[in-house]
Amino acid sequence: MIFVDTSAIYAWVNAADSNHRRVVASLAAALEAGEDFLTHNYVLVESAVLLRRRLGWTAVRRFLHDAAVFQVRWIDEALHRAALDRFVRRRGRVSLVDEVSFLVMRERGISEALVFDQDFLREGFRYYRA
């Protein structure tokens, strides 16, 4: 299982992004290897907002259609509160969405993330690269 973050989603959708080829190759290799992808609904929302702002509605629609390949962890109140606690305790050092991601990854025992965000490395996770 590989966690997918907003930074990888943006690079995946935006062909002009410097990481586009890398993320497309990584996704293809992971699919070929039979890996599953996990994200959570906060990442989906964050990604849709970012894509809408930077690339427009067509990119959002395409992403939401293609995102069906991801398993989605729907954030409940307990996980939201735990992430908020970490966010406040750590004075917003990383985003609330990333705090949720870290908790989801630990909950599922996931060590690798398809991401271009160094906060995941600092948190002890590894980048997934094909």
Side-chain angles (χ1 to χ4, degrees), residues 47-59:
S47 297
V49 170
L50 179 65
L51 291 167
R52 173 77 167 101
R53 188 172 347 122
R54 292 189 184 172
L55 301 176
W57 179 246
T58 301

Side-chain angles (χ1 to χ4, degrees), residues 105-125:
M105 290 180 71
R106 288 192 177 98
E107 170 187 88
R108 296 287 180 96
I110 299 170
S111 59
E112 291 183 305
L114 189 52
V115 60
F116 300 101
D117 177 342
Q118 291 191 353
D119 289 330
F120 283 76
L121 289 180
R122 284 190 285 272
E123 194 68 19
F125 299 108

Side-chain angles (χ1 to χ4, degrees), residues 44-69:
L44 297 177
V45 170
E46 182 180 60
S47 297
V49 170
L50 179 65
L51 291 167
R52 173 77 167 101
R53 188 172 347 122
R54 292 189 184 172
L55 301 176
W57 179 246
T58 301
V60 174
R61 248 190 23 225
R62 187 178 64 229
F63 157 66
L64 292 175
H65 176 266
D66 293 346
V69 301

Side-chain angles (χ1 to χ4, degrees), residues 14 16 25 27 48 66 69 79 90 97 99 104 108 120 122 128:
N14 182 5
L27 284 166
D66 293 346
V69 301
L79 185 54
R90 295 173 7 144
V97 173
E99 293 288 8
V104 166
R108 296 287 180 96
F120 283 76
R122 284 190 285 272
Y128 175 80

Side-chain angles (χ1 to χ4, degrees), residues 7-22:
S7 59
I9 289 169
Y10 182 77
W12 176 43
V13 174
N14 182 5
D17 188 277
S18 61
N19 290 310
H20 176 74
R21 286 189 176 132
R22 184 181 309 165

Side-chain angles (χ1 to χ4, degrees), residues 58-107:
T58 301
V60 174
R61 248 190 23 225
R62 187 178 64 229
F63 157 66
L64 292 175
H65 176 266
D66 293 346
V69 301
F70 304 143
Q71 292 180 28
V72 178
R73 166 55 160 98
W74 296 93
I75 305 310
D76 56 25
E77 183 178 356
L79 185 54
H80 178 81
R81 287 183 185 276
L84 274 178
D85 181 57
R86 285 175 53 99
F87 181 72
V88 169
R89 243 185 315 112
R90 295 173 7 144
R91 299 176 162 275
R93 183 183 64 79
V94 299
S95 75
L96 177 59
V97 173
D98 283 354
E99 293 288 8
V100 172
S101 298
F102 302 155
L103 293 173
V104 166
M105 290 180 71
R106 288 192 177 98
E107 170 187 88

